[in-house]
Amino acid sequence: MQEENMMKMSKMATPPIMDPHTANILICYLLYKIDKPVQVSHLYDIAVGSNIINYFAYQDSISYLTEHNSVAVRQNEEAVDYYVLTENGIRTAKELRNYVGKAYRDKLVSAAFHYFARIKRESEVKIEYIPLKKGYYVHVRCLDIEDDLLDMKLYAPDYTQAKYLGEQIMLNPAGFYGKILDAAFSNQEEPYDLSDN
């Protein structure tokens, strides 16, 4: 409950950025801090989807940054567009970052790290919901480069509980996998009480 109240207070303290100039600095700062190319759709999801930058301010900012050579658009081998910070953008991030409050900078960088962690989890763990006559199987697969590390089905009595189970696994798939391994390796035969013999 306390964490929920803190989140509400945080949202009230940092309403979405409406000013394109502030958005310019924030976007350059984000690209500078994460120090890697970011897909066009991913940057939008992080900035606008996290309710940190207003949609219109974001659109104006991206147009300005690309036109003024602060951010460049490139394509990877799969023909996916992504943003790369240029020297102008690096200078903007370093020299102007203090013009944007630390709360906004931290919130945007944190949103990016959470976003990329979620994408990584979704690529490493696949969850499928298989309907049964009564209930559902939650089919969990933890993937490695060539093989499955884990392939198991868990039973849930209805779709709501199956979905909840899948969401809980996706919060920390490595922890889930680790707990299964811990349980398997610490599993021992029940001791017999021979004291009455």
Side-chain angles (χ1 to χ4, degrees), residues 173-188:
F176 173 74
Y177 179 68
K179 286 180 182 178
I180 288 174
L181 288 181
D182 284 346
F185 288 125
S186 64
N187 192 26
Q188 297 178 4

Side-chain angles (χ1 to χ4, degrees), residues 19-29 60-62 64-65 92:
D19 174 43
H21 300 297
T22 305
N24 292 346
I25 297 168
L26 264 179
I27 290 170
C28 288
Y29 180 78
D60 290 346
S61 177
I62 286 295
Y64 178 87
L65 291 171
T92 299

Side-chain angles (χ1 to χ4, degrees), residues 38-89:
V38 177
Q39 285 185 25
V40 169
S41 61
H42 292 178
L43 185 62
Y44 176 86
D45 288 345
I46 293 164
V48 178
S50 300
N51 207 28
I52 297 168
I53 300 175
N54 170 277
Y55 170 81
F56 298 105
Y58 176 82
Q59 295 300 336
D60 290 346
S61 177
I62 286 295
S63 296
Y64 178 87
L65 291 171
T66 53
E67 287 171 15
H68 290 86
N69 196 31
S70 293
V71 172
V73 180
R74 304 274 190 266
Q75 248 185 17
N76 63 12
E77 310 82 53
E78 293 90 35
V80 175
D81 289 339
Y82 59 93
Y83 292 121
V84 176
L85 201 57
T86 65
E87 288 300 319
N88 286 343

Side-chain angles (χ1 to χ4, degrees), residues 90-161:
I90 292 171
R91 220 172 14 262
T92 299
K94 287 181 174 180
E95 295 173 8
L96 301 178
R97 73 181 188 149
N98 290 329
Y99 286 97
V100 179
K102 183 171 174 17
Y104 282 107
R105 296 191 318 256
D106 291 350
K107 189 175 178 181
L108 186 61
V109 171
S110 175
F113 286 136
H114 286 288
Y115 184 84
F116 293 129
R118 182 174 53 88
I119 288 174
K120 186 174 188 296
R121 284 193 306 265
E122 288 172 357
S123 71
E124 294 173 346
V125 177
K126 300 293 181 197
I127 294 187
E128 179 184 10
Y129 303 101
I130 304 169
L132 304 169
K133 286 183 182 176
K134 291 185 178 180
Y136 281 81
Y137 274 139
V138 179
H139 184 204
V140 181
R141 291 178 58 218
C142 294
L143 310 173
D144 195 13
I145 294 170
E146 293 182 17
D147 300 312
D148 286 356
L149 294 174
L150 174 74
D151 187 347
M152 70 184 300
K153 292 178 185 169
L154 304 167
Y155 175 78
D158 58 42
Y159 183 73
T160 303
Q161 291 183 43

